[in-house]
Amino acid sequence: MIKAVLFDLDETLVDRRSSAAEFLKVQYRELVARRFGDAISEEQYAARYFKLEEEGLVKKSDLYPPLVASFGLPSEVSSPLLDHFRLRYPEMVRPMEEACEVLQGLREIGLPCAIISNGEGIVQRKKIDLTGLADLIEFALISGEVGIRKPDHQIFEMAAEKLGVVPAECVFVGDNPTADVMGALNAGMRAVYFGDINMWPADLPKPTYVCHSLRDLPALIRH
């Protein structure tokens, strides 16, 4: 029996890619174009960023140095770019359609919800607060704060313990086959893949469930 629902944050509860695309336009305009606009176009800058970040899996502190180096820019440029990301990006993040509605609905039927997210606490918590998600969850475990990153099974087990349930009584919802789905399955949880099953890696075991819309989630996990 499912007693709790755990969620990934980026590209599951919040629209990471479109938010990042909006942010990169601002970062390019406010920092990059003023100094290097003649050498780097906005399109080149965004494309290189998305290539290096590997769907959000790369820490931003590890992303900006090679991003800067790839354009032949001075290494000291990476620090103000990272600071700018930490300050401005969370302000531009928007929740996924129906995310808040679904979280509220799950709580109303007695299923507490929590978030497990890789990233820096200062950035992820600001995103959770500004999107209104903080009021709809019990807590958020952020890898940068607890020192454990998905897909390590320990961070999933930690979340279950905080909720007062065992992993087998939890379902985890996420968009990344390895970090989210395999991490949850290896911890003994059920897992919902929030994405297109046609894109699922052939070498990985299948998820417990597949979900294309968050609105389908309550009926799916109670089936």
Side-chain angles (χ1 to χ4, degrees):
M1 180 179 178
I2 298 298
K3 294 184 179 180
V5 186
L6 303 168
F7 290 86
D8 169 50
L9 180 62
D10 293 305
E11 215 62 17
T12 300
L13 291 178
V14 302
D15 192 339
R16 179 195 61 81
R17 189 169 181 89
S18 66
S19 300
E22 179 183 349
F23 162 75
L24 289 171
K25 293 178 182 179
V26 175
Q27 181 162 82
Y28 179 83
R29 182 175 67 248
E30 294 185 355
L31 274 73
V32 180
R34 292 179 180 180
R35 293 182 60 184
F36 311 105
D38 292 339
I40 306 168
S41 71
E42 181 180 316
E43 292 74 18
Q44 288 175 318
Y45 185 70
R48 194 71 53 82
Y49 175 98
F50 282 122
K51 180 179 180 180
L52 292 173
E53 73 151 9
E54 297 181 10
E55 298 298 324
L57 293 179
V58 176
K59 296 179 183 178
K60 297 306 178 288
S61 57
D62 294 334
L63 181 149
Y64 276 104
L67 175 63
V68 164
S70 71
F71 288 113
L73 304 180
S75 60
E76 58 267 23
V77 174
S78 65
S79 182
L81 289 173
L82 177 60
D83 290 342
H84 186 259
F85 171 86
R86 289 168 171 163
L87 178 66
R88 298 296 306 280
Y89 172 61
E91 301 171 355
M92 302 178 189
V93 173
R94 299 292 178 266
M96 285 288 198
E97 185 178 0
E98 300 157 358
C100 293
E101 173 190 337
V102 169
L103 285 173
Q104 182 62 40
L106 290 171
R107 296 184 73 181
E108 289 175 357
I109 62 174
L111 290 174
C113 301
I115 290 172
I116 305 176
S117 177
N118 287 346
E120 296 183 355
I122 190 172
V123 173
Q124 301 302 77
R125 291 205 178 276
K126 188 180 291 188
K127 287 155 64 174
I128 292 168
D129 289 341
L130 293 178
T131 52
L133 298 172
D135 295 331
L136 300 170
I137 60 171
E138 304 301 315
F139 59 82
L141 286 185
I142 312 298
S143 67
E145 296 176 343
V146 301
I148 307 171
R149 289 177 62 84
K150 297 179 297 182
D152 192 319
H153 65 90
Q154 293 181 81
I155 196 168
F156 295 90
E157 294 165 354
M158 186 184 300
E161 184 176 358
K162 283 177 67 68
L163 286 166
V165 297
V166 298
E169 295 172 326
C170 299
V171 62
F172 186 86
V173 185
D175 70 296
N176 187 278
T178 301
D180 295 328
V181 175
M182 295 312 301
L185 292 176
N186 289 336
M189 297 181 179
R190 300 179 207 185
V192 177
Y193 175 50
F194 184 51
D196 183 355
I197 194 62
N198 294 317
M199 302 298 292
W200 186 262
D203 60 333
L204 292 181
K206 291 291 192 292
T208 316
Y209 311 105
V210 178
C211 180
H212 298 286
S213 168
L214 291 177
R215 183 169 287 174
D216 298 333
L217 188 61
L220 186 67
I221 62 178
R222 298 186 75 186
H223 179 68

